[in-house]
Each structure stands twice: as structure tokens, then as C-alpha cells.
Amino acid sequence: MVFDEVKNYSKGEFKTGSSSIIHTIISPLDGNKLSHFNESTMDDLNEIVIFAKKAQKTWQKVTMKERAQVFYKYKQLLEKNSAELTEIIYQENGKIHGEAKAEIDKAIELTEFACSLPQFVNGENMEVSKGVYCSSTRIPVGIVASIVPFNFPVMVPHWTIVNAIALGNAFILKPSESVPISSQFTARLLKEAGLPDGLFNIINGTQSTVENICDHPGIDAVTFVGSTKVAKIVYQRASHNLKQVLALGGAKNHIILLPDAHPEMASSNIVASMSGCSGQRCMAAATLIAVGDCDAILEKLIGEANKIQCGSTLGSVISKAAKERIENFITEAEQQGAKIILDGRNTIVPGKENGFYVGSTLIDYATADMRIAKEEVFGPVLAIVRVKTIDEALAIENANPYGNACSVFTQSGGLANYVTENASAGMCGVNIGVPVPREPFGFGGWNESRFGSGDITGKSSIGFFTKEKKTTTKWNPEAGTNWMS
Ligand code: NAD
């Protein structure tokens, strides 16, 4: 499959980036070229910002209820175009169709939440002293730019697009250079939904374009989702330029398995978590800490993992480099004495010999100090560490620098509470493999998985995309004056 050239989007029009540097977009399914785009320049970004600023000034004056109307229409368009968008995600990211469709379903849920924002952002009003009223309202921050990763080409951009624009901002998306095609489709659907030109914009590029975003004085707020290494760079650079920043980083999520866990539920949920989206999820199970004798459950888990078929129930990983990185992690663990009980290295999918595939991999008897157990692998690989007590398991989890997710599998309420209370993670689960909170709850980790405060979605994101204005009013001349008013 071949797609049209990927372009920037500004003033409601597509335009080729001005740099002479051209990037090729490769399909991870078969290694073939899908499309290409030109890197953008500071002049390209300037042009976007100038028009976005004008558009935002007008949009801010539209009532929130009216702004939300665009997203009711947009939600219908996402539903109508779901099949076409699913195919684009499949082609550019390599995840299986069901996972690509689930991304769109999540984008629809995020859009539904944006439609409900008028119900959440209703301000406050109170008589604070006799005849004196204090009210608060939420004002958009202005221009929001979002820099996104490759693993969810549609869902992660929708974490911010819909809330930021519904709350009155103009928006600039910097897609991942590996998967920028689906965002072209998003631009067309938002226009069809009636969004005025200039409010949704796309700037394509790599490091230099991200640096331009961090430095541009006309951009008020920046969100970033990607690896911790780059999250730190973006957080520091954009904050240094006095922007409001929220940067989500990588993860190493722990599952704490107790011997009393429900065997079928635990094994199927854990395998789905480690292998879904080929393990390229910041909420994927990465290290399983088995407490005590969990052998019967682990047997079932091996059986579940064995059922996964690369190329049909398991998609590709994003690139040749990713495949090599993941396989090197497995080899290193093997050399250090861990036992590879299911080996996904050197997987070839018939008919897709040039695709980037890694089969699901289980590594038993890993130890907490091995890289496989503590660093982000971002592939369909689960390291199993065996310990004797829950406190040992929690000590391993707490020592990890990341803090996105931690789940416990048990049938004991008391032990589940003990784990969720003591885990050092922003999103915890009980008998849930992928404990992603759903709207109105917000998505956000702790520690090195997030820099900045608040969550990127849900109610908590309202504080990021708006600033609060407090107005104190006295209309009654008879009202006395006191030292506070
Ligand atoms: P990445 O950090 O390589 O890239 C993310 C974005 O940053 C891309 O748009 C890329 O163009 C840009 N970028 C890359 N290098 C840069 C540099 N040196 N300077 C400035 N910008 C740069 O991440 P990725 O490989 O696309 O995505 C995978 C990572 O994203 C994983 O670590 C995963 O855990 C993380 N992730 C985190 C969350 C979360 O919510 N915490 C969600 C999804 C993905």
C-alpha cells in the first residue's frame, strides 16, 4: 500500500514542509515504503502560529456549549470512518486490526468526554463577605502543542486534541515521524465536522521540529508523550522558555501475582497485557513478580502465551532497530542465567519475511537487578521474578525509577489493598492487566513516567488546558467595607 505525501496542515490546508530533508515512512508489516514527508522549519511553525493565534481569539469567544457541538459531529465522523482509519493504523504502526480499531474506539470515548466538558467546567460563585461575591471562570491558555509517540497514532493525539480545542485553545500536533499518516485523516475529519480553520494544525518533523516547538514564543503550553529520555529534554527546554509543560515518559510496569489469584483470569489478563500491541504500550505488563508458589498459575500463563500467533493475533514491532533492541534484551537475559521459556527471537511471518516481528517471549528466573527486569524493553516480553513475600515484591516495584502502572492479582481484598496502597505508581490495578483509568478519571503516572503536574486526560486535564480567573464583585453600595473587601 502507498499513501499520498504527508504534509503539514495550517489554515485548513495541507502544505509540504519547507526543509529539504525528506523522511521516508516504512511499513513495519513488510518493510516497504508507505510515504514520505519533508522536515519542517521554524518559518513553517511561525506561519502556523500566526494564523492559529487569530483563529484562537475568535474561538475563545464562542461559548463552550457551542464549541462542544463540533465534537458531537466529529464523534459521528470517527464512527463512520472507523474502518478506513483502522487500516491506516494497521499499515503504518503494524498492530493488528482489532487493536487499531480499539484505538479509534478510545478516541471516540475521549471525544465523548470533550462533549461533556460544559458540564464539568461550570465555574464557581460565592458570597465571600456581606454583599461581596467571588466567582471563578476558566479561560483557555491559548496555543497548545502536543508531541506524540509512535505506539498509538490515533489514541494518544486524541488525549489532547479534543479537550484542548473544546476548552477554547488552538492546537498544533507534532506526530511521530514513524506514523504520521493517520493524523492527515484526523485533520480532514475535524474540518468536515465544522471546526474553523487554524484551530487544528499539524507540523511534521523530528528533533529539530520539537526544539522549534519548545522555543517558539507564541506557543503557550506543550504536552509530550514518549520516552523518558526525551520527556526530560522537552520538559526542561519548554519550561526554560516559561511554557506550561506536561511530559509523560516511559514505563516499566509490574504485576504482583499472589498464589490465590484466579488462575484463568490472571493468566489470560497478564498475557494480554504483555503481548497486546506487541508490548509497545506504556501500560504493558513488563515484569511479573510471582510471590510464593505460583507454579500452577504460571503453567496456565505459558499455555496462554503459546496460543499467540505472530502475524495474526500479534502484530509487528515498529522498526528493524526495535526488533534488534528487543532481541538483544532477551539474549542478554539468557546470558545472565535467566530461563527463556518462550522465545520470540528470529520470528518470521510467512509472506511478510521483511516485516519486523518478535514473537511473545516469557523469561523465567530473571532477577531484579537484570536489565530485562528493570529497564523498558517495549516489546512482547515478560520477565518473571520469583520472591517469597509481598514486601519483597513491593520493594522491587518501589525501587524502579518509573511509575506508570502496577497491578496485583489475588482474590484477597486485604492483600490487594496492601499492594495498591504501597505501590509507587500513578495507575494501579486489581485483577486488571492494563489498569488504564477511563474518563472522567485522568491518565498519568508518577516518578520518571511523568514530569509536570496533573493528568493528560479526564477532569484533571482541565487545569492544564485552561487558566483560572477569579473576579470579586460588589454591587450593593450599602454593603459595609471590611479589611478584606
Ligand atoms: P520517543 O521519545 O522516541 O519519541 C516521541 C516524540 O519525540 C516523537 O514525536 C519524536 O519525533 C520526538 N523526539 C525523538 N527524539 C527526540 C529528541 N532527541 N529531541 C526532541 N524530540 C525528539 O518515543 P517513541 O519511541 O515514539 O515512543 C515510545 C515511548 O513512548 C516509550 O518509552 C513509551 O513508554 C512512551 N509512551 C509513554 C506513554 C505515557 O503515557 N507515559 C504513552 C505512550 C508511549
Side-chain angles (χ1 to χ4, degrees):
M1 202 159 185
V2 178
F3 292 90
D4 290 343
E5 175 196 347
V6 166
K7 296 185 178 178
N8 290 343
Y9 185 72
S10 165
K11 305 181 191 170
E13 291 163 9
F14 288 98
K15 195 178 162 193
T16 303
S18 302
S19 163
S20 56
I21 299 167
I22 297 178
H23 300 280
T24 303
I25 304 155
I26 301 288
S27 173
L29 297 170
D30 52 18
N32 289 337
K33 179 181 167 181
L34 283 179
S35 181
H36 68 275
F37 69 88
N38 285 59
E39 181 83 37
S40 303
T41 62
M42 192 54 126
D43 284 345
D44 293 329
L45 186 60
N46 248 330
E47 204 181 315
I48 290 177
V49 170
I50 288 167
F51 192 78
K53 230 176 189 72
K54 280 193 203 141
Q56 193 273 328
K57 289 266 174 287
T58 311
W59 185 239
Q60 181 168 344
K61 299 217 157 34
V62 175
T63 63
M64 198 177 318
K65 276 179 184 282
E66 214 177 310
R67 293 198 297 253
Q69 292 308 314
V70 171
F71 293 98
Y72 282 101
K73 291 196 197 105
Y74 180 63
K75 172 185 178 279
Q76 288 175 340
L77 289 171
L78 278 176
E79 286 163 350
K80 192 172 143 203
N81 291 278
S82 173
E84 199 175 337
L85 204 40
T86 296
E87 186 59 30
I88 297 174
I89 296 173
Y90 169 66
Q91 292 289 337
E92 67 177 348
N93 175 278
K95 61 178 67 175
I96 59 174
H97 282 92
E99 292 166 348
K101 164 82 169 51
E103 257 200 68
I104 298 160
D105 292 343
K106 183 62 200 178
I108 290 168
E109 185 178 47
L110 290 156
T111 307
E112 281 169 0
F113 180 73
C115 293
S116 75
L117 280 168
Q119 274 47 262
F120 285 106
V121 189
N122 43 17
E124 289 174 349
N125 192 349
M126 184 186 176
E127 187 177 26
V128 288
S129 34
K130 199 68 201 148
V132 178
Y133 291 84
C134 208
S135 68
S136 73
T137 45
R138 291 252 160 215
I139 313 296
V141 289
I143 299 189
V144 177
S146 286
I147 301 149
V148 294
F150 77 80
N151 61 331
F152 285 96
V154 167
M155 183 190 80
V156 170
H158 280 76
W159 279 356
T160 49
I161 294 172
V162 288
N163 288 0
I165 299 178
L167 288 165
N169 300 288
F171 187 92
I172 303 171
L173 179 68
K174 206 303 277 173
S176 160
E177 58 271 36
S178 307
V179 295
I181 302 170
S182 41
S183 297
Q184 308 274 294
F185 205 86
T186 302
R188 282 193 279 271
L189 292 191
L190 282 166
K191 187 165 178 120
E192 195 180 335
L195 186 72
D197 292 345
L199 295 173
F200 177 75
N201 307 279
I202 299 173
I203 186 119
N204 286 295
T206 56
Q207 180 175 345
S208 62
T209 298
V210 172
E211 288 168 357
N212 289 343
I213 289 172
C214 295
D215 295 347
H216 198 293
I219 294 173
D220 303 286
V222 173
T223 72
F224 172 88
V225 181
S227 61
T228 290
K229 179 177 153 240
V230 183
K232 284 180 182 171
I233 294 170
V234 169
Y235 185 81
Q236 285 169 343
R237 188 158 179 154
S239 308
H240 177 77
N241 288 319
L242 306 178
K243 297 183 195 317
Q244 189 167 299
V245 193
L246 180 59
L248 304 191
K252 186 75 179 177
N253 304 309
H254 295 80
I255 301 259
I256 298 182
L257 176 65
L258 304 187
D260 73 337
H262 188 283
E264 277 76 28
M265 181 162 74
S267 55
S268 61
N269 271 259
I270 295 167
V271 168
S273 176
M274 60 77 74
S275 65
C277 299
S278 300
Q280 299 175 123
R281 279 194 286 202
C282 64
M283 294 294 279
T287 300
L288 174 67
I289 312 180
V291 181
D293 181 3
C294 292
D295 282 356
I297 304 170
L298 291 176
E299 273 308 307
K300 284 208 180 305
L301 192 143
I302 296 165
E304 285 294 324
N306 258 312
K307 289 184 202 158
I308 296 169
Q309 292 291 322
C310 223
S312 57
T313 52
L314 183 69
S316 67
V317 296
I318 192 66
S319 63
K320 189 164 178 280
K323 178 177 161 69
E324 285 168 7
R325 189 198 65 240
I326 297 162
E327 294 189 342
N328 286 341
F329 261 106
I330 302 168
T331 303
E332 184 186 299
E334 188 176 39
Q335 286 164 351
Q336 291 173 341
K339 188 173 165 201
I340 316 295
I341 44 178
L342 188 61
D343 191 352
R345 286 173 292 183
N346 307 314
T347 298
I348 304 276
V349 173
K352 294 200 164 92
E353 287 75 9
N354 294 324
F356 313 129
Y357 289 93
V358 179
S360 57
T361 301
L362 297 178
I363 304 178
D364 204 352
Y365 299 102
T367 54
D369 57 343
M370 289 181 186
R371 280 201 324 130
I372 196 76
K374 60 183 188 185
E375 291 185 17
E376 184 173 44
V377 177
F378 224 52
V381 179
L382 186 68
I384 303 169
V385 176
R386 293 168 180 258
V387 298
K388 292 199 174 67
T389 67
I390 294 186
D391 287 326
E392 274 179 80
L394 281 167
I396 293 170
E397 193 278 339
N398 284 189
N400 197 270
Y402 296 108
N404 241 19
C406 175
S407 279
V408 57
F409 280 82
T410 178
Q411 296 191 67
S412 155
L415 295 178
N417 281 352
Y418 185 72
V419 171
T420 57
E421 278 168 16
N422 290 291
S424 181
M427 294 172 280
C428 290
V430 177
N431 299 319
I432 302 276
V434 184
V436 173
R438 293 179 65 171
E439 282 60 31
F441 297 96
F443 187 101
W446 285 2
N447 312 328
E448 298 227 332
S449 294
R450 185 198 59 183
F451 305 95
S453 61
D455 293 326
I456 201 161
T457 63
K459 273 202 284 184
S460 151
S461 73
I462 295 167
F464 184 83
F465 295 122
T466 58
K467 48 197 179 193
E468 194 174 39
K469 180 176 277 184
K470 282 76 59 181
T471 305
T472 307
T473 310
K474 181 163 70 178
W475 288 110
N476 178 1
E478 263 75 69
T481 305
N482 68 26
W483 64 275
M484 297 269 265
S485 59

